[in-house]
Amino acid sequence: MRKEKFFINIFWVVIGVVLLGCGIAGIVDYFWSGMGGALIGVGVIQIIKYIKYCKNPEYREKMEIERNDERNKFIGGRAWAWAGYFYVMINAVGTIAFKIMENDHLSQYCAYSVCIILVLYWLSFLFLRKKY
């Protein structure tokens, strides 16, 4: 893992704290404060994983094997193909774009559809892992 990823995750945590703080202060609405909470959560988890990766040689070896294993790469690629990569990206951008345009219903629709497709990806991955 590269140090750049570590600093990017610190950046996401800082942005999350700012958004959450603005939500608590009433500057932004609940959507942005929720986004801040999510950024904090994801950033902290990634930082913990990075620290564990750097300090634990057994975990590092396990992660390297998992990351470089051809079988895992194949399964991951097929699962994304089934789930519809572009659909996820378009709806993720749509979630934010519609929120900026103050169209909460469409923003929520896009966010829900991203969640549904990610669940489908996960189920596809589990199925393909057993199949192959």
Side-chain angles (χ1 to χ4, degrees):
M1 295 183 109
R2 299 184 318 245
K3 284 189 177 182
E4 296 89 30
K5 284 189 174 186
F6 179 75
F7 292 114
I8 288 170
N9 288 315
I10 289 175
F11 172 75
W12 290 130
V13 170
V14 169
I15 295 295
V17 168
V18 169
L19 285 174
L20 191 60
C22 288
I24 291 170
I27 298 170
V28 296
D29 65 10
Y30 65 91
F31 173 85
W32 295 109
S33 60
M35 180 74 77
L39 287 172
I40 292 168
V42 170
V44 167
I45 289 170
Q46 292 298 326
I47 289 168
I48 290 169
K49 283 176 62 177
Y50 179 80
I51 292 169
K52 185 176 179 182
Y53 180 87
C54 290
K55 291 188 176 189
N56 188 339
E58 294 164 0
Y59 178 75
R60 182 181 321 124
E61 182 179 346
K62 178 184 169 189
M63 293 306 296
E64 287 298 322
I65 290 170
E66 196 171 302
R67 185 178 302 126
N68 295 320
D69 182 46
E70 290 297 321
R71 180 175 170 266
N72 282 340
K73 289 180 181 180
F74 173 75
I75 291 168
R78 295 291 294 173
W80 267 115
W82 288 13
Y85 179 79
F86 290 110
Y87 186 76
V88 171
M89 294 302 133
I90 290 168
N91 278 288
V93 170
T95 299
I96 296 170
F98 286 128
K99 187 63 182 177
I100 290 170
M101 293 187 308
E102 299 181 359
N103 193 334
D104 292 337
H105 293 291
L106 289 178
S107 175
Q108 193 172 32
Y109 168 80
C110 288
Y112 285 157
S113 65
V114 168
C115 289
I116 290 168
I117 202 74
L118 289 176
V119 168
L120 290 174
Y121 165 76
W122 179 68
L123 293 173
S124 300
F125 183 85
L126 293 177
F127 172 78
L128 289 170
R129 187 171 62 182
K130 291 211 183 271
K131 183 177 179 181
Y132 297 104

